[in-house]
Structure formats: structure tokens, C-alpha cells
Amino acid sequence: MPLLLCMAEPSLLTAVRQGLERLGQAAAAKIWRLGFAARFFVAILLNSGTALRRFRLIIREIYFAGVQSLVIILVSGLFVGMVLGLQGYDTLQRYGSSEALGVLVALSLVRELGPVIAGLLFASRAGSAITAEIGLMKATEQIAAMEMMAVDPIARVVAPRFWAGVISMPLLAALFSAMGIFGGYLVGVQLIGVDEGSFWSQMQSSVDVREDILNGVIKSLVFGVAVSWIAVFEGYDAPPTAEGVSGATTRTVVTSSLAILALDFVLTALMFTGGNGK
Amino acid sequence: MASVPIVEIDKVSFGYDAARPVLHGVSLRIEPGSVVGIMGQSGCGKTTLLRIIAGWLKASAGATRVLGESVHELDSEGIYALRRKMGMLFQFGALFTDMTVFDNVAFQMREHTDLPPDLVHDLVMMKLEAVGLRGAAQRMPSELSGGMARRVALARAVALDPRLMLYDEPFTGLDPISLGVIARLIRTLNDSLGQTSIVVSHDVEECFGIVDYVYFVSAGRIVAEGKPDAMRRSGEAFVKQFVRGETDGPIPFHYPAPGYEADLAAAAVHG
């Protein structure tokens, strides 16, 4: 190998060295940005007093992030539940246990699909909007104007949007799951003819409030924190140009989606394994 | 008569990094009640100077005293306390696009005071009346023309009767009528509210029409200062070139570049 290196052309060595330097610089920049994002997160928490005291600021943002996401969440939930009804029935009836359809639909939604799909939809619908809004406020000097008026933009603009996302996400995931169960009911009971009594009673007896529903709520809460944090950070950190804001919006959707899927694996591993019987 | 200046900048230097110095040892004094212009080309450092006065940027050397406070020694709370006594008009207004004109002007009153809504309403209407836009109180910023938006931003900036007003390129992108209106408002508000104003601009005629004193900045240094009439007669090469808008003078037309022939020859080789 040393012989090979000696024989290599100087230009090749330079190219390799430059490549490694670029790689190192890119890695250092990512780590620096991660540290900045962590400090930003702490700053949001420390500056949440104003938003929490003047709760109407958060309610206003819940309307934009949460209420305006309702249509996409409810419609998606209905269709996902209907597909679960069809697929679940097809599999279960092979083993003669189609009356367990209610359990399958409910557990799939409450434990996994509700938090995860609602989280992904929330990131695309509300997360991107939050990033674009804050980014454009920065590009049009609205954030600077606020600072000049001695009003802290993290307290007045960022914190209300962050908390609105954190509050909205579990509610949206719950509505997604409820709508999904209704979709499963429509297809399973009304369309295919699974026994209605078994559908509901098996669901009631098998879905545990703590193990299933609470864990699902915890997941959606964690996703809410992750998506809201990423969305407000990307917006606040966006270069104040058209390109900068569009890039930040894309990064919000991509990073949030990956974060949701990775966090889902970690949380599932912590919650549903380790001999807790589920 | 030696009055205490509202702004006193003493040998201030600043650079975004060591390789790119923006200001070199700038000193200036702004007396109470005056309207002072800071003029120069785009990128000469005049907006940076305004940002140092507002406590936005910290000078790397020198002292900045604003309204009796040493800005360079203040922490963020001190800067925020100082900014409550200042107002700033941004280049394009920077109105909050998700609020009505009324809410924009009321913003500071609601954030910083506990005034009852009736009083806030009356104060906002008085400010809007002063800029002639009381009738547009319920409009959204997107429904306003550029000149109207700038006037609303002006009403918002003076909402809490600041002692010092900073104007960052207030005339950019306005039609002649709006431009005249803004210029007149700057002077009127300054005199009627007992303010002191700093106008950063490169519009010679409009600026000279309203200021008491003007500083010329070039390449991060103050190259000339004086009353507008004296500046019109100034023999200083930069001032002459700037005021008359001449292409020949100390500011070259060409950005620094290697020899023209060498560049053309290089293109021929690469091509």
C-alpha cells in the first residue's frame, strides 16, 4: 500500500486529500448545526413563559397548524382504516378468525399507524407551513422589526408555534385512529359482514388503555415535539432568500419524516418488547 | 452651546470577519432634535453603522453611546430596554403580514404596556391619522401600495413615541409622490414629537431636503460631513461625484479585475 501511494500521481493524492477535507468540513458543519439546533431548543423552552401566559397566542397557532390539518388527517385516517379492514379481513379469514378484525384494525392504528401517518401528514402539511412562514418573516425583515421593537421573536413567534404543534399532534393522531377504526368498521362490518358484536367487543377486551393507547399517545407527543422543533428551527435558520426558504421547507419535510420513522423504531423497541406481554 | 449628544460614536470599527472589515474608526455626534443623514453608496457600511447604533451588531473596537447608554457594554436585556426608546423604519416597511394595519400599529402598545383596549384604539387612530391612513386601519398589509405600507410602518415605529428614530433607506422603491410624503413625514414627526432622527439613504435630493446635517461614508470611513448646503458646494472629490451622480471620480466604474487583455487572452486559450 505505501508503495502504491508513492507511485500515485501527486494530483491524485491532492484530490484524495481535498475530498477528505470536504468530507470533514461537511461533517463538522452538520455537527455544528445540530448543536445550534439543540441550543435553539433550550432557548424555546426558556422563552415559553410569554406564550404559556398568553395562551391565546398558542390557540391561534393551533388553529393554523392543527385545525387546518383536520381535513387531510380525517380523510387519510378513513382510507387507511378502510384498507386495513380489507387487508385484515383477507388475512384473518384464512385462519377462520375474521371476528378479530376489530382488534387488528384498532391495534394497528392506535399503536403504529395513527401516530406515524398522522405525524408524516402533519410534517408535510403544518411543519412545512410553519417553516415557510417563519422563513419568510425573516426574509421580509419582520423578525428583525420585532427585535427592534424590543420583542423577543423566539418568545413571540417561535414558542407559540412550537407548543401549538406539540399540543395538536396527539389530538390529530387520536382523531386519525378514531377515523381509521370507523373506516375499518365500515368495510369490515357494513360491507363485508363481519359480526358487529365481535368486532367491537373483541376490540374492547384486547386494547389496553396503558399498553396500547397511552403508548400511542406518547409516540405522537414525541413526534409532535420532533416535527415542531425541526419546523421552527429550519424556518428560523433559513437564509433570507427565496432559495433559502424553499430549501428549509424541503429539509423540514425530509428531516421530520426520517425523524418520525427512526423515533418510531426506538419507541416501539422500548414500549412493546422486553417481555411486557405485548 | 455643548448639549449632550443623543448618539456619540467614537472611533468605531467593525468587520463580519477579520478578512472583511466594514467600518474603520468611524466617529460621529448626533445632537438632540436634529435630523441627520448618513449617505454613501450601497455596501459602504452605512446600514452597518445603523445596526451598531441599534445594538444589533457589536463594534470590534471603539465606543458607542446612545441615549446615554454605552451600547457596546449592554447585555441583551439592556439592549431591549434601550430599543424601547428607539424606533426603526425598515427599507420595505417589514409590516407583520398576518395582522391588519391597526394590529401592526398596536403591536408595541399591546406587547409593552397594559393600556386598556379603548386607549390603544385611540392612540392607534392618532398615529394613523398622522400618516393619513386612518381609513385603512382594517386593511391587511397585502392590500396596501408600497408607499402606504411604508407610512403604516412609520406609524408603527413611532407608536410609543421613541426619542430616537432610525430610518434604513426610507425612500427606496417609492413613486415621487409617496417619496415626498415620506420625506415630509420624517421631518414633521421629528419636529412635532421632539425626536432625533438618523436617515440612512443614497437619495441625494430627498435626503438633503430634510436633514440638518449629513455624513458621507465611503469604504467604511466618514469622508465628509456638514450641512446640506455646504455639501452641495463641497470641493471634496467623493462628495462631488456622489451628489452629482458622476461616473468619473474616486469611485471607479469598474470592479477591481486583472488586465482586460490578459482576461480576453485567457478566454481564447480556454475556449
Side-chain angles (χ1 to χ4, degrees):
Chain A
M1 190 65 184
L3 183 68
L4 196 70
L5 276 178
C6 291
M7 288 166 65
E9 294 231 355
S11 59
L12 180 67
L13 282 175
T14 313
V16 169
R17 201 188 71 229
Q18 282 174 345
L20 286 173
E21 274 176 0
R22 271 201 298 275
L23 188 69
Q25 280 167 357
K30 290 275 177 213
I31 292 168
W32 186 89
R33 200 156 182 272
L34 198 64
F36 185 51
R39 284 178 56 195
F40 189 73
F41 185 63
V42 174
I44 295 172
L45 297 183
L46 292 178
N47 289 289
S48 292
T50 309
L52 297 173
R53 267 195 310 277
R54 292 164 62 186
F55 205 71
R56 59 179 180 77
L57 291 176
I58 297 181
I59 289 176
R60 185 175 176 276
E61 298 307 327
I62 288 177
Y63 173 75
F64 288 116
V67 177
Q68 294 198 340
S69 303
L70 269 178
V71 173
I72 188 172
I73 291 283
L74 293 179
V75 172
S76 307
L78 184 69
F79 280 110
V80 168
M82 284 160 67
V83 170
L84 273 177
L86 285 174
Q87 294 278 14
Y89 177 78
D90 184 56
T91 309
L92 288 173
Q93 56 94 21
R94 293 183 202 175
Y95 305 101
S97 50
S98 56
E99 64 280 5
L101 183 66
V103 185
L104 183 134
V105 169
L107 282 184
S108 311
L109 282 163
V110 170
R111 280 179 171 194
E112 282 298 330
L113 296 175
V116 171
I117 299 183
L120 293 173
L121 291 171
F122 183 72
S124 328
R125 166 65 182 77
S128 58
I130 290 171
T131 303
E133 190 187 11
I134 297 179
L136 280 173
M137 284 183 83
K138 196 177 164 193
T140 52
E141 292 192 307
Q142 293 180 48
I143 298 277
M146 205 171 270
E147 279 195 359
M148 257 325 286
M149 289 188 252
V151 175
D152 184 355
I154 294 188
R156 185 63 175 69
V157 173
V158 174
R161 284 165 175 77
F162 172 79
W163 286 110
V166 173
I167 294 168
S168 300
M169 188 54 236
L171 299 173
L172 290 173
L175 287 169
F176 183 96
S177 296
M179 206 63 192
I181 290 169
F182 178 65
Y185 164 80
L186 277 184
V187 168
V189 177
Q190 299 296 334
L191 193 70
I192 300 173
V194 173
D195 181 58
E196 185 167 359
S198 340
F199 184 89
W200 292 117
S201 65
Q202 289 211 15
M203 193 190 298
Q204 273 184 329
S205 61
S206 302
V207 178
D208 186 82
V209 171
R210 205 186 69 79
E211 291 292 341
D212 302 315
I213 295 177
L214 185 65
N215 278 339
V217 171
I218 291 171
K219 272 188 178 181
S220 55
L221 200 62
V222 172
F223 298 163
V225 171
V227 174
S228 307
W229 175 25
I230 292 167
V232 292
F233 174 70
E234 288 292 356
Y236 205 78
D237 191 46
T241 59
E243 261 184 338
V245 176
S246 73
T249 312
T250 309
R251 274 199 304 280
T252 290
V253 177
V254 173
T255 318
S256 301
S257 305
L258 290 176
I260 287 171
L261 296 171
L263 282 169
D264 184 48
F265 172 73
V266 174
L267 290 171
T268 307
L270 290 173
M271 289 169 175
F272 299 111
T273 56
N276 62 6
K278 289 280 167 182
Chain B
M1 189 189 78
S3 56
V4 180
I6 292 284
V7 177
E8 190 172 18
I9 291 176
D10 189 26
K11 297 189 185 71
V12 158
S13 295
F14 176 83
Y16 288 97
D17 52 55
R20 288 187 303 158
V22 179
L23 297 175
H24 312 265
V26 170
S27 297
L28 55 84
R29 273 169 69 95
I30 292 171
E31 302 296 336
S34 58
V35 178
V36 172
I38 297 178
M39 305 198 70
Q41 282 184 292
S42 306
C44 71
K46 54 190 192 303
T47 296
T48 304
L49 194 56
L50 203 65
R51 293 189 168 210
I52 287 174
I53 294 170
W56 212 303
L57 299 170
K58 214 162 205 153
S60 48
T64 312
R65 288 186 68 77
V66 177
L67 299 167
E69 304 270 3
S70 294
V71 179
H72 55 286
E73 290 167 357
L74 292 175
D75 57 8
S76 59
E77 276 184 26
I79 296 272
Y80 270 11
L82 181 63
R83 282 184 190 160
R84 290 195 189 194
K85 299 178 217 165
M86 291 185 201
M88 183 159 177
L89 181 67
F90 284 81
Q91 198 168 351
F92 294 105
L95 291 176
F96 302 130
T97 43
D98 58 341
M99 297 181 195
T100 61
V101 164
F102 183 95
D103 290 335
N104 263 284
V105 180
F107 184 78
Q108 283 194 85
M109 299 175 195
R110 288 172 177 160
E111 292 293 322
H112 293 313
T113 70
D114 292 322
L115 295 175
D118 289 356
L119 194 53
V120 169
H121 176 269
D122 291 352
L123 286 171
V124 170
M125 285 306 175
M126 285 163 68
K127 299 295 175 192
L128 284 173
E129 177 70 16
V131 297
L133 289 174
R134 194 166 40 82
Q138 295 312 318
R139 296 261 196 106
M140 294 302 285
S142 56
E143 298 169 330
L144 304 177
S145 69
M148 287 165 82
R150 209 74 59 91
R151 278 149 73 186
V152 173
L154 188 50
R156 184 180 70 174
V158 298
L160 292 182
D161 296 336
R163 291 178 60 197
L164 174 64
M165 271 300 293
L166 309 175
Y167 296 92
D168 186 9
E169 302 281 8
F171 311 119
T172 306
L174 293 182
D175 62 81
I177 298 172
S178 305
L179 202 149
V181 169
I182 291 286
R184 193 171 46 80
L185 276 172
I186 291 174
R187 187 73 236 188
T188 317
L189 287 171
N190 187 79
D191 297 345
S192 60
L193 299 175
Q195 299 170 334
T196 304
S197 304
I198 304 175
V199 182
V200 159
S201 177
H202 49 235
D203 290 290
V204 177
E205 284 311 314
E206 289 69 31
C207 204
F208 275 17
I210 57 165
V211 300
D212 300 308
Y213 201 81
V214 60
Y215 288 91
F216 279 92
V217 181
S218 177
R221 288 188 171 81
I222 291 187
V223 291
E225 61 180 281
K227 293 185 185 302
D229 283 345
M231 287 295 102
R232 278 187 211 280
R233 296 191 303 269
S234 170
E236 212 279 331
F238 172 78
V239 177
K240 269 171 72 179
Q241 186 188 1
F242 192 86
V243 171
R244 295 176 191 172
E246 292 167 351
T247 42
D248 280 335
I251 305 299
F253 169 70
H254 287 289
Y255 190 79
Y260 193 29
E261 285 177 12
D263 247 0
L264 292 179
V269 170
H270 290 299

